[in-house]
Amino acid sequence: MQVLGTGTSSSGRSVAWVDPDLDTARTFTNVLGQQYGIGITKAIAQELNLTPSPGRPLSSRTITQALDMAQTAHQALAGVDFLTALQCSAQGSGPIFRAACQTLEINPASLSAPQRQQIDQAMRHHFEQAALSGQTPVRPDIAADWLRDLLHA
């Protein structure tokens, strides 16, 4: 990518003007996908009609709108995962945790505080990996599967 010039938009964001033969829409959606995941990026690209168009620049308005949409979607999905994680909490004895224990015929009271903490830490890791791979929000049944696997081990 050849940068022809740089500057700052009226809102204070850094901008760069690149070689006009570059497909800026494709480049922008690739970077957006790396930052926010494939699902969010596909929805934004469809909504804003960000289709491959070599030689056609993107307006700062479109870029700003796409970034705002991506951030809002990311925060919303993170909120959904936060609620699902609370329901799976071993330390908080969430309903998904209790159901997983019941399915495996485990008395939740038989699990020590360090065991519960270890389960919650492993679940956080699962949620983080799902977020990194664009698999958010995590469906409760998937989270329940993770819990049963952890409890079974």
Side-chain angles (χ1 to χ4, degrees):
M1 177 179 338
Q2 182 181 0
V3 177
L4 303 175
T6 60
T8 305
S9 71
S10 60
S11 65
R13 292 193 178 170
S14 296
V15 294
W17 290 267
V18 295
D19 183 3
D21 290 331
L22 181 69
D23 187 346
T24 54
R26 182 185 306 270
T27 302
F28 178 70
T29 55
N30 286 343
V31 172
L32 201 63
Q34 291 171 4
Q35 181 69 31
Y36 293 101
I38 296 166
I40 289 173
T41 301
K42 281 184 179 180
I44 291 168
Q46 184 177 6
E47 181 70 25
L48 298 178
N49 197 26
L50 294 174
T51 57
S53 50
R56 192 182 86 186
L58 288 177
S59 71
S60 62
R61 180 177 180 262
T62 299
I63 292 170
T64 300
Q65 189 175 14
L67 291 172
D68 290 344
M69 291 169 71
Q71 185 63 33
T72 299
H74 177 73
Q75 289 172 341
L77 295 176
V80 171
D81 279 350
F82 177 76
L83 290 176
T84 304
L86 282 177
Q87 293 176 329
C88 294
S89 174
Q91 291 175 312
S93 197
I96 295 175
F97 169 75
R98 291 191 312 270
C101 286
Q102 184 177 13
T103 299
L104 296 172
E105 298 180 355
I106 295 172
N107 180 355
S110 70
L111 298 170
S112 68
Q115 287 173 312
R116 287 173 178 254
Q117 185 177 17
Q118 187 176 21
I119 291 167
D120 285 351
Q121 185 175 7
M123 288 298 289
R124 270 191 299 279
H125 178 74
H126 280 296
F127 278 99
E128 288 168 2
Q129 291 303 310
L132 288 173
S133 63
Q135 304 292 321
T136 55
V138 173
R139 293 188 344 237
D141 62 315
I142 299 294
D145 288 344
W146 297 340
L147 260 176
R148 284 191 294 275
D149 288 346
L150 289 168
L151 289 166
H152 191 269

